[in-house]
Amino acid sequence: MTMDFPRSWTDPDLDLWRDTCARFIETELEPDDAASRERGHVGHAVWRRAGELGLLCADIPEQYGGGGGDFRHEAVFYEECARRGLSGMATSVHSIVAHYFLNHGTEDQKQRYLPRLARGELVGAIAMTEPGAGSDLQGIRTKAELRDGHYVLNGTKTFITNGFLAGVILVVCKTDPTQGARGTSILIVETEGCEGFRVGRVLDKMGMKAQDTSELFFDEVRVPAAQLLGGKEGQGFFQLMSDLPYERLIIGVSALANMEGAYRATLDYVRERQVFGKPLIEIQNTRFKLAEVATQIKVGRAFIDRCVHDLVAGTLDTATASMAKLWGSETQCRVLDECLQLFGGYGYMNEYPIARMYADARVQRIYGGTSEIMKEVISRQL
Ligand SMILES: Cc1cc2nc3c(=O)[nH]c(=O)nc-3n(C[C@H](O)[C@H](O)[C@H](O)COP(=O)(O)OP(=O)(O)OC[C@H]3O[C@@H](n4cnc5c(N)ncnc54)[C@H](O)[C@@H]3O)c2cc1C
């Protein structure tokens, strides 16, 4: 019997959907991954291809051009990428952006942006972090001032996923710097032909080389007042907070699928690799390490699956989603480290997926709220 990790939330339709996602990933994403890592981004064509195949915005209602599914459809795509160690296409951030429109946008904003996001015509990004403010979002300095029916936007953002490819960016800014959280709003910025907007460097990261992460500059950018998300000033923090369970569970789901992929790759390797005249798997330490990894995955599967059920039911709270993010990312890093060790020197070579998975995993403890911030959030509920 081989160790399997079945999901409690799947069904025959989702299994078919998984096949569709896997086919796209294997035929469109995987062959271009090495070139994407060189370039620092996956390019626009693959986004449009994913849109044509109906793979984007799977959990957005059909009336807005989405797939009409739920979070499980999204989860399947993240899992199929994560288990292969393919991190180039940040559909997670794209979907998060779509959810800001769905949950907080005006009807007009939903109709204007959701179909284009679903078709992959626009890639979505969300710009919160600044050089001087990451965990402490209240410290952001990007400012939007209302003048003659336009917001005039000034500021600098950094570490923005999809920043280079983005056609639409949700920019978190201060509309009233005297008001703290209540003075924060989100502006919708279309990047094409946008005067005063500039993408800086595509940042050179230790991992996730195919995923674009950029600096963004806004210099007297004029944004029509109608581009305020939800149409009402001062809602930015509320909007950010209410979508946290969705965002954090994405990281938990992909962390666990990545552990499964690493486990399987390691199992294959240790069965083949000969040491001291026998396969590496016959050494007790190897079997014990993999037994520990398999146990972590199986136990984690029960918790993450429960979170998926709860999110779909609309009952997943922020503290529990933060536990999924915290546990998932911390365990992922430990598991990847143990798996890589079993590859010996080959594990350190970038041509082996395990090396890339290891480097990719590290940021999971940092973005989407650091592990320390997750502990802050969880501890408030003690
Ligand atoms: C690859 C990548 C992609 C990203 N994508 C995006 C994106 O798309 N959009 C976006 O807006 N941002 C993005 N980020 C930014 C990311 O969310 C921030 O880096 C993260 O929130 C941490 O902020 P910081 O880097 O400013 O670190 P800081 O906030 O300066 O934290 C430094 C250290 O202090 C700790 N710390 C801070 N406050 C506390 C506290 N109260 N208690 C205990 N410890 C604390 C932190 O945990 C951390 O260990 C991305 C980052 C990376 C690396």
Side-chain angles (χ1 to χ4, degrees), residues 93 126-136 158-162 205 208 211 213 363 366-373 376:
V93 167
I126 174 143
M128 297 173 270
T129 307
E130 300 182 359
S135 304
D136 177 17
T158 193
F159 305 150
I160 306 308
T161 304
N162 291 342
K205 307 186 291 296
M208 297 207 167
Q211 189 175 111
T213 310
V363 76
I366 297 171
Y367 61 16
T370 63
S371 287
E372 293 71 31
I373 295 299
E376 264 300 320

Side-chain angles (χ1 to χ4, degrees), residues 87-290:
S87 53
M89 200 176 170
T91 53
S92 51
V93 167
H94 189 77
S95 295
I96 287 167
V97 167
H99 273 255
Y100 277 99
F101 282 114
L102 183 71
N103 297 337
H104 311 295
T106 62
E107 188 54 35
D108 203 45
Q109 290 166 349
K110 290 182 213 187
Q111 289 187 11
R112 186 169 160 81
Y113 290 104
L114 286 171
R116 286 197 283 164
L117 286 166
R119 287 197 295 270
E121 284 170 24
L122 290 179
V123 175
I126 174 143
M128 297 173 270
T129 307
E130 300 182 359
S135 304
D136 177 17
L137 261 190
Q138 303 218 19
I140 61 162
R141 296 230 187 115
T142 297
K143 216 169 69 179
E145 231 179 293
L146 194 57
R147 284 187 226 150
D148 307 327
H150 282 77
Y151 284 101
V152 179
L153 186 63
N154 281 290
T156 303
K157 298 288 181 181
T158 193
F159 305 150
I160 306 308
T161 304
N162 291 342
F164 176 74
L165 292 172
V168 63
I169 303 175
L170 297 177
V171 182
V172 180
C173 57
K174 291 270 165 86
T175 38
D176 184 351
T178 64
Q179 286 296 310
R182 265 184 247 125
T184 304
S185 302
I186 300 180
L187 281 186
I188 306 162
V189 175
E190 283 197 49
T191 59
E192 199 181 323
C194 180
E195 234 174 273
F197 167 72
R198 188 166 65 80
V199 181
R201 290 176 299 155
V202 172
L203 299 165
D204 179 18
K205 307 186 291 296
M206 66 178 273
M208 297 207 167
K209 297 275 187 189
Q211 189 175 111
D212 84 81
T213 310
S214 304
E215 296 172 310
L216 306 176
F217 300 97
F218 302 88
D219 180 15
E220 296 284 296
V221 173
R222 284 171 61 80
V223 184
Q227 296 291 83
L228 180 69
L229 185 71
K232 200 165 151 229
E233 276 189 15
Q235 297 298 300
F237 250 88
F238 160 74
Q239 292 163 341
L240 290 170
M241 295 304 131
S242 71
D243 284 9
L244 288 178
Y246 183 84
E247 297 167 21
R248 294 193 173 152
L249 185 55
I250 290 174
I251 294 176
V253 162
S254 62
L256 188 57
N258 187 249
M259 290 182 230
E260 288 185 25
Y263 163 79
R264 290 197 190 287
T266 309
L267 199 54
D268 288 347
Y269 183 80
V270 298
R271 282 176 173 152
E272 290 290 317
R273 178 71 176 169
Q274 298 285 317
V275 291
F276 297 96
K278 57 185 177 186
L280 182 50
I281 194 164
E282 287 184 18
I283 293 186
Q284 190 189 50
N285 175 65
T286 308
R287 286 181 283 111
F288 277 18
K289 287 293 176 197
L290 286 173

